Amino acid sequence: MTDEEKKQEKKAQDKLIDSGGLAGEVSQLINKYAGGQIPVLVDEKDPKNGLINGELLKIYQRGFAGENLVPLGVLFAKSTNVKWEEGNADYHLSEWSKGDWTKVCSAIRLCTKGNKECELCDRQWAAVAKGHGDVVAYMCVHGLVDFAMPIFVEKEAIAVIFTGQVAPKEGTFWNREFVEENGVFLLEGCDNSGVEARRVTLERFGESERQYGLKAGTLLRKLNQDVDANDAVEVTPEDVEELRNKLREAGRHLSNLAESTYRLEKSKAVGGLKSAIAWSAAQVDVERVAETLPSIVEGVSEAATLICEYFGIDYMLVLNIKTEKSSFRILLENTPEKMPWKRGVWADELDEESFRGLADVVASFPRFLADADLWPLRKRPFFDWVATWLQGKQASRCVGARLDRAGLLPCVLLAGRKAGLKLSDFHEQDKSDFARIIEDIGAVINIVLFIDELRAAGESQDVFLEDVAHEIRSPVQNLLIKIERLKSGSVQPNEVLDEVGRLGAQVRRIHQLSQRIWVLERLRRGYSELDKRGLVGVHQAIMEVVRTLDDVAKGKNLTILVAWQMKEWRAIRIDHDLFFQAMLNLVDNAIKYSSEGTEIRIDGEMKLYPKCRISVINRGIEIKEQYRDNIFKRGVRTSEAKMHIWQGSGIGLCIVKAFADFYHGDVKVECNPIQESSDFVTEFRLTFTGAFL
Amino acid sequence: MSNMERKRVLFIEDEEELVRDLPPILKSKGFEVTATTDVAEALRLFAESDFDVVLTDIAMPPAPDMDGKALAYGRETGVEVARRLHAIRTDIPIVALTVIRDQQIVSRMRKAGIRDILHKPQELQRIVETLERVTRW
């Protein structure tokens, strides 16, 4: 940088600082801590060289040395609520006490509108930032924040760096909000407590390894290396030999896995989930698989490194076997033009022009290795993951390939050949080793995915059985005691009828449970079990439900109203028993949670496809938003919904969901407060499709 | 058992039918029973009155001041109840009447000071015998 340039830069800094705004103040702080190396907070003309993409990373690396975390963003806050002692105005992060943390976290809370909503989106508490000890700060940065650490404090200004991963809010690519021109979020007047805040996004580096249980430090080391080192790494014969040894070792592991894979797939295919669980539990040494994976990943990673190095490819997306090529294309098509990686291509579809473009890649960009990027695919939807990952990498061009069919290496070779690159100096055996190991990783991923599925299914089944057992034992206990009471003669003759009625209620409770379990079992067995010929008059079936539950509703002085228009609906082909049970559960649920003396409304509409929508609306207790998804899940042990909707096992709503899924529909719940009342209006909206006669 | 010897039982149970049916039977067996379906009320009653034994369910809706998540959304409410009761008085025996069989939860129940665990469904005779045994001293 020439003297003149330095002067200009200083002038720009002064301008910011002189502006008296928080940006200037923070810029001053950053300059102080970064040794005056940071030109400006944000250089709109050249954002890549400003704080966001450059210097703050170095600060991060210095501050987080040894921490296996990925920087996510920085929050700068000016809070009148945080008072620092005179003479000790700035703290290095290591000097922060728990008290300091509490103050800072309080300031962060204030920046998030009184613990309610994120300023940047419509989520409530979308993220939780954990500090030292018990200190927890809540704020939304459109995703999960693992950790928060302050980097600067001066008087009333605070800077907290957040680390973790960024999950796009929704959709198929990341939020525009996150990638605004200068990457700065201005949070003006975010509350009325004297707090101003500006949040600055920081370059994100893809996934946190820690988040996905990968070996510690790899990504960070890589980042450290690549910040300063743009030189190509020379691949020596020793490197190749070492790699080959690793590949052989990985190959041995893989052969051990092959048999297990075969058994797993076979059992999954022929026996259904239940037998698969039993079979795999007996046949698969899960621990052994877990031990094997790291070495396989390492071997494949190194193979990928060499391939990337040889062909000069910046980024190699090693995609999950389930990833569809069309998904990759959609990702690219949805990428804004300004995104540098717009020109990513699917390897075996590259046209000549694109391959020439690929050659540019070789010349223009530093090498990166996708070493740690295989496993996040297990955890995240493809789009989210790729978007975040590429954003973090600042990828310009990339090559995508699936692991199935031809495998990655042939795609890459094809890409290289078309691009006019010189072909490999490796021996054919080397290529073969690469190809095999990269293909095999797909099998390993599948094993891991399947084991995850099995574990989840097994756990879910355990919880479900426990719920069922719970639901049976309670009424049986009630019956036992009731019988004892009757036997004891303490029941007066005029009370006997009532007691018998109560006994009946307990028996019906058990009967209802058995019905629900049977319905779920029929659904599990699939389409062949259902009545495909029966025609159901929806209105008739609903009236049948209403009659069945009439006594229960009267017990709470509830009125059930069914929309008269439903009488005009045409009969449709759906399984009567299943529909009846689903509706019974919905109405029964509404009765349970309605306030006494209120109305339950059943309404709906039918379209000609035919597609039906039935709403069951009641007035009563609130189902909090965060619990609304869980109430339809089967065997969710930690369903907070069950704390609020305590009665019953929750199986009833599982059946409603299963019915909706089976008939290509859905069930949603909405819950809105009623003004000047503690009650809420809850609407369960069931949609499904059937067939006309 | 004469009135003077009647043992006072605090019965905490969210199954309304059981709260309705069990106390009169226990009364006929010589116990004086205070029953409630409300955990918060149970804690208040325990603090305000003298009981010889507590008979409590485990899986119940937690009290408002309890960390529902930490209590597995109510599955372990009785454990926290026992812990709090034990913090007030360690000499009052606590008996659980529960459907829970999970060994980890059972272990936490023991650590919280629950002396005896009766698994539902349980015969009345066994419930009575247990209450008599733990209140003998």
Side-chain angles (χ1 to χ4, degrees):
Chain A
M1 190 182 283
T2 66
D3 288 343
E4 185 55 34
E5 285 171 328
K6 283 180 182 172
K7 275 184 188 172
Q8 290 294 327
E9 188 181 292
K10 182 72 169 52
K11 201 174 171 183
Q13 282 178 32
D14 290 342
K15 191 179 174 187
L16 271 172
I17 294 166
D18 289 342
S19 71
L22 188 62
E25 198 173 328
V26 171
S27 179
Q28 197 174 21
L29 287 170
I30 293 172
N31 274 298
K32 180 178 174 182
Y33 276 83
Q37 294 303 305
I38 297 177
V40 286
L41 177 65
V42 177
D43 184 344
E44 289 183 4
K45 291 180 184 171
D46 188 10
K48 285 189 177 181
N49 291 326
L51 164 70
I52 298 170
N53 294 314
E55 298 302 326
L56 206 50
L57 168 62
K58 290 179 182 172
I59 297 169
Y60 160 80
Q61 286 174 331
R62 198 167 62 238
F64 283 73
E67 296 283 351
N68 186 26
L69 296 167
V70 178
L72 177 65
V74 180
L75 179 140
F76 296 108
K78 182 182 180 184
S79 170
T80 53
N81 296 340
V82 182
K83 300 291 182 190
W84 308 100
E85 291 173 22
E86 284 295 324
N88 191 18
D90 18 324
Y91 288 66
H92 187 263
L93 54 95
S94 62
E95 296 168 1
W96 279 51
S97 69
K98 186 175 173 180
D100 295 333
W101 265 104
T102 308
K103 289 174 186 171
V104 170
C105 291
S106 299
I108 294 168
R109 286 194 191 97
L110 289 173
C111 295
T112 52
K113 282 190 178 175
N115 298 1
K116 284 184 181 174
E117 290 179 350
C118 170
E119 308 92 324
L120 303 179
C121 68
D122 54 5
R123 286 189 181 181
Q124 294 189 343
W125 300 125
V128 177
K130 291 181 181 173
H132 290 312
D134 296 326
V135 177
V136 174
Y138 298 91
M139 63 177 297
C140 176
V141 281
H142 301 275
L144 182 69
V145 177
D146 289 322
F147 201 84
M149 184 172 279
I151 53 175
F152 310 110
V153 173
E154 184 162 312
K155 296 184 179 173
E156 294 170 349
I158 305 158
V160 178
I161 187 164
F162 290 91
T163 64
Q165 59 166 322
V166 179
K169 188 166 72 173
E170 57 187 8
T172 55
F173 54 96
W174 64 79
N175 294 307
R176 293 295 183 94
E177 299 149 289
F178 250 117
V179 286
E180 283 171 355
E181 288 297 331
N182 55 14
V184 177
F185 300 111
L186 299 177
L187 311 175
E188 299 293 347
C190 60
D191 71 6
N192 57 6
S193 58
V195 174
E196 293 176 18
R198 281 172 169 77
R199 188 173 298 159
V200 180
T201 57
L202 179 66
E203 178 182 355
R204 285 167 284 277
F205 295 92
E207 305 297 334
S208 157
E209 291 170 309
R210 191 173 65 112
Q211 185 72 23
Y212 296 109
L214 292 167
K215 56 193 175 186
T218 311
L219 184 56
L220 196 63
R221 279 202 300 277
K222 203 73 198 167
L223 288 172
N224 281 325
Q225 286 168 14
D226 287 323
V227 164
D228 299 319
N230 290 335
D231 297 333
V233 176
E234 186 183 355
V235 182
T236 65
E238 288 76 17
D239 291 333
V240 174
E241 185 55 33
E242 190 183 337
L243 171 64
R244 291 186 67 175
N245 289 335
K246 286 187 177 172
L247 292 178
R248 285 191 197 101
E249 187 185 344
R252 281 196 295 276
H253 291 310
L254 277 171
S255 65
N256 291 335
L257 289 172
E259 180 70 9
S260 300
T261 313
Y262 170 74
R263 286 175 179 163
L264 283 169
E265 290 299 329
K266 185 181 173 189
S267 62
K268 190 178 181 182
V270 302
L273 193 57
K274 197 173 172 183
S275 61
I277 292 168
W279 184 286
S280 61
Q283 302 294 329
V284 177
D285 184 347
V286 175
E287 294 306 317
R288 177 70 181 155
V289 172
E291 284 173 16
T292 305
L293 290 176
S295 62
I296 293 173
V297 173
E298 196 175 346
V300 172
S301 297
E302 297 208 19
T305 311
L306 290 185
I307 292 168
C308 283
E309 282 169 354
Y310 184 74
F311 291 110
I313 296 165
D314 290 339
Y315 306 106
M316 184 186 294
L317 297 183
V318 183
L319 303 180
N320 188 289
I321 197 164
K322 291 181 179 175
T323 303
E324 290 300 323
K325 192 182 290 183
S326 58
S327 303
F328 186 79
R329 194 178 301 117
I330 291 167
L331 174 76
L332 298 175
E333 285 169 358
N334 282 292
T335 303
E337 283 297 332
K338 65 181 180 181
M339 289 299 134
W341 49 276
K342 175 69 178 173
R343 295 178 65 186
V345 287
W346 192 265
D348 61 5
E349 287 191 342
L350 290 172
D351 55 23
E352 290 300 321
E353 188 183 349
S354 298
F355 279 112
R356 280 197 294 278
L358 191 65
D360 295 341
V361 174
V362 178
S364 307
F365 292 91
R367 170 195 54 84
F368 254 112
L369 162 67
D371 60 349
D373 298 318
L374 293 166
W375 303 107
L377 292 169
R378 293 172 53 204
K379 302 279 185 182
R380 296 272 299 278
F382 167 71
F383 278 163
D384 294 357
W385 180 81
V386 172
T388 308
W389 186 80
L390 287 175
Q391 185 191 16
K393 296 287 188 190
Q394 295 288 299
S396 292
R397 315 280 169 79
C398 56
V399 173
R402 270 185 303 186
L403 288 160
D404 60 343
R405 300 183 190 165
L408 179 62
L409 185 66
C411 294
V412 175
L413 287 173
L414 178 66
R417 199 177 298 122
K418 285 193 177 181
L421 302 174
K422 67 171 184 174
L423 291 178
S424 174
D425 289 332
F426 293 134
H427 297 298
E428 287 303 313
Q429 183 58 45
D430 295 325
K431 292 182 193 171
S432 169
D433 281 347
F434 293 155
R436 182 176 59 77
I437 202 72
I438 290 171
E439 285 170 10
D440 284 345
I441 197 71
V444 177
I445 290 173
N446 269 0
I447 292 174
V448 174
L449 286 170
F450 187 46
I451 289 171
D452 278 355
E453 279 175 24
L454 291 176
R455 278 177 175 162
E459 283 171 15
S460 173
Q461 193 170 41
D462 288 348
V463 173
F464 177 69
L465 288 173
E466 193 181 317
D467 280 346
V468 169
H470 186 296
E471 278 304 292
I472 292 173
R473 285 169 189 149
S474 293
V476 169
Q477 177 72 76
N478 295 346
L479 284 172
L480 282 175
I481 298 299
K482 274 188 187 302
I483 291 165
E484 288 291 340
R485 190 163 172 229
L486 285 167
K487 277 163 60 182
S488 71
S490 65
V491 178
Q492 298 302 310
N494 61 345
E495 295 173 342
V496 169
L497 211 56
D498 180 47
E499 287 304 317
V500 171
R502 286 170 178 274
L503 274 171
Q506 297 303 314
V507 173
R508 277 196 296 278
R509 192 171 155 187
I510 297 171
H511 173 67
Q512 194 176 39
L513 181 67
S514 70
Q515 285 292 104
R516 287 172 173 178
I517 294 169
W518 173 237
V519 168
L520 280 176
E521 178 61 16
R522 285 180 73 211
L523 281 167
R524 192 192 69 79
R525 289 184 188 181
Y527 186 68
S528 62
E529 283 286 318
L530 298 182
D531 179 5
K532 294 179 280 293
R533 295 194 163 197
L535 274 174
V536 175
V538 173
H539 184 263
Q540 279 179 311
I542 289 174
M543 291 312 293
E544 202 180 331
V545 167
V546 173
R547 280 194 294 275
T548 306
L549 294 170
D550 192 39
D551 286 346
V552 192
K554 279 180 181 162
K556 288 183 79 173
N557 195 22
L558 299 172
T559 309
I560 303 177
L561 303 171
V562 182
W564 64 269
Q565 297 95 324
M566 294 176 82
K567 277 186 187 173
E568 318 222 326
W569 287 15
R570 292 172 63 182
I572 54 173
R573 285 202 189 284
I574 49 174
D575 185 280
H576 174 273
D577 291 350
L578 192 55
F579 176 67
F580 178 81
Q581 190 66 51
M583 285 307 302
L584 188 80
N585 296 344
L586 275 181
V587 180
D588 184 45
N589 188 71
I591 291 172
K592 271 181 189 161
Y593 307 114
S594 286
S595 299
E596 292 221 6
T598 56
E599 287 178 352
I600 294 170
R601 287 187 290 123
I602 303 173
D603 198 352
E605 62 177 336
M606 175 183 268
K607 292 182 179 172
L608 281 178
Y609 315 173
K611 183 165 186 172
C612 299
R613 189 261 303 164
I614 297 174
S615 292
V616 178
I617 304 157
N618 75 298
R619 174 181 172 149
I621 65 166
E622 179 190 11
I623 304 172
K624 291 195 173 172
E625 189 173 354
Q626 60 266 42
Y627 309 142
R628 290 175 201 166
D629 286 341
N630 272 355
I631 59 177
F632 300 110
K633 289 180 184 168
R634 173 176 165 175
V636 178
R637 181 190 293 274
T638 56
S639 167
E640 293 190 45
K642 287 182 185 172
M643 189 162 68
H644 291 258
I645 300 179
W646 177 253
Q647 300 165 42
S649 62
I651 298 170
L653 292 177
C654 300
I655 291 174
V656 179
K657 180 75 169 76
F659 169 82
D661 288 346
F662 201 86
Y663 286 106
H664 311 293
D666 201 1
V667 58
K668 300 270 185 196
V669 59
E670 275 188 27
C671 197
N672 296 303
I674 302 170
Q675 281 193 338
E676 297 176 7
S677 166
S678 58
D679 275 358
F680 283 73
V681 171
T682 301
E683 176 179 353
F684 279 88
R685 183 175 289 212
L686 171 67
T687 57
F688 58 95
T689 55
F692 288 132
L693 185 60
Chain B
M1 218 183 270
S2 71
N3 276 343
M4 291 296 287
E5 296 169 323
R6 278 179 179 274
K7 299 294 185 185
R8 289 151 302 182
V9 181
L10 174 60
F11 180 37
I12 315 167
E13 168 65 65
D14 68 324
E15 280 280 341
E16 288 183 4
E17 286 298 313
L18 209 50
V19 167
R20 181 176 170 276
D21 291 334
L22 189 57
I25 304 177
L26 290 178
K27 192 176 175 185
S28 71
K29 303 287 181 185
F31 293 95
E32 186 182 311
V33 184
T34 304
T36 178
T37 56
D38 186 327
V39 167
E41 188 190 8
L43 292 168
R44 185 181 56 76
L45 286 168
F46 186 82
E48 292 173 356
S49 315
D50 278 337
F51 292 99
D52 297 298
V53 61
V54 176
L55 177 64
T56 181
D57 191 8
I58 296 298
M60 298 180 284
D65 67 333
M66 290 179 176
D67 181 352
K69 198 171 178 182
L71 299 174
Y73 305 106
R75 247 166 229 274
E76 299 183 35
T77 298
V79 176
E80 178 61 17
V81 169
R83 206 174 284 132
R84 294 190 185 191
L85 298 181
H86 214 61
I88 299 170
R89 284 188 64 173
T90 54
D91 60 326
I92 307 297
I94 303 170
V95 178
L97 179 61
T98 178
V99 295
I100 303 280
R101 259 79 165 173
D102 184 299
Q103 282 309 304
Q104 288 182 332
I105 300 178
V106 167
S107 169
R108 287 195 280 276
M109 286 156 65
R110 300 264 184 219
K111 281 181 187 166
I114 292 174
R115 187 180 292 186
D116 287 79
I117 297 168
L118 298 169
H119 292 296
K120 289 180 183 174
Q122 193 63 250
E123 293 292 342
L124 175 68
Q125 188 57 30
R126 177 81 193 285
I127 297 172
V128 172
E129 283 172 5
T130 304
L131 292 176
E132 283 176 348
R133 176 169 51 78
V134 298
T135 55
R136 198 161 291 152
W137 300 101

